Amino acid sequence: PGMILSLYGEEFECVHDPLRKRPVLCQETKTLRIPPKFTQMDLHPFFKKIAHEKLLPLLHKAVEALGQRVEKVSFRDSKTRWGSCSGRKTISLNWRLVFLPPEVSYYVCAHEAAHLLHMNHSQAFWEAVERICPHYKKHRKWLKAHGSAWMRF
């Protein structure tokens, strides 16, 4: 209670709400209303659902901008990676991306989408990232400076 959370670029204050059985975001009061006895771990599925709603459209935008297709998208609880892409055109994203600024989350989506074209970090890969995320270097720098703190959340 009292903690201010940034969820996809909007700030919400965490408050206990004895009338709730499940957590809920209240846009009107900018609060995350948490039921009694809920722990941070209990909130992970809630945040994962928000990640699905907010990040899936970003990923599809990046994939389509590169003229690619993705077979499967999943949201994971990774402690070391923001995303990954397999040779089978499966992309996994860390649900904690919802805590980052939206433009940084988009950079991660663009990065993984570019792996659909290049399964490496070659110059051609970075050119594909830059084509759909022109300021990727700035976002990548932000992620390196601040990402580890959010990875621990």
Side-chain angles (χ1 to χ4, degrees):
M3 181 180 177
I4 304 295
L5 257 184
S6 177
L7 279 172
Y8 206 66
E10 291 185 76
E11 290 190 346
F12 293 86
E13 181 181 3
C14 298
V15 296
H16 272 216
D17 186 340
L19 302 176
R20 297 274 168 209
K21 292 190 191 296
R22 294 187 196 130
V24 66
L25 282 177
C26 181
Q27 290 289 340
E28 192 173 301
T29 61
K30 294 295 183 195
T31 55
L32 169 57
R33 308 195 74 73
I34 304 168
K37 299 182 183 174
F38 249 61
T39 67
Q40 192 172 345
M41 290 296 288
D42 293 330
L43 290 170
H44 288 187
F46 176 73
F47 292 135
K48 198 172 181 179
K49 181 181 175 205
I50 292 172
H52 191 272
E53 293 169 2
K54 296 289 187 179
L55 300 174
L56 201 55
L58 286 184
L59 179 63
H60 285 298
K61 176 184 172 183
V63 168
E64 289 169 12
L66 291 173
Q68 296 297 301
R69 65 178 172 72
V70 63
E71 292 297 324
K72 182 181 173 191
V73 179
S74 61
F75 292 90
R76 304 213 184 249
D77 189 17
S78 174
K79 303 291 187 215
T80 59
R81 292 179 172 218
W82 290 108
S84 64
C85 179
S86 77
R88 289 185 249 186
K89 298 190 179 284
T90 297
I91 292 179
S92 295
L93 297 172
N94 190 320
W95 60 263
R96 288 174 182 83
L97 285 168
V98 296
F99 298 120
L100 308 186
E103 60 276 9
V104 176
S105 297
Y106 180 71
Y107 155 67
V108 173
C109 291
H111 181 111
E112 299 311 328
H115 279 309
L116 295 170
L117 286 169
H118 308 281
M119 290 300 292
N120 54 46
H121 290 110
S122 64
Q123 183 176 346
F125 166 83
W126 289 111
E127 288 169 359
V129 173
E130 188 169 31
R131 198 164 59 242
I132 60 174
C133 187
H135 303 290
Y136 83 89
K137 289 178 184 175
K138 175 180 149 186
H139 307 316
R140 186 173 185 225
K141 186 177 178 180
W142 187 97
L143 200 56
K144 286 184 181 215
H146 305 285
S148 62
W150 285 111
M151 194 63 81
R152 291 188 299 268
F153 184 77

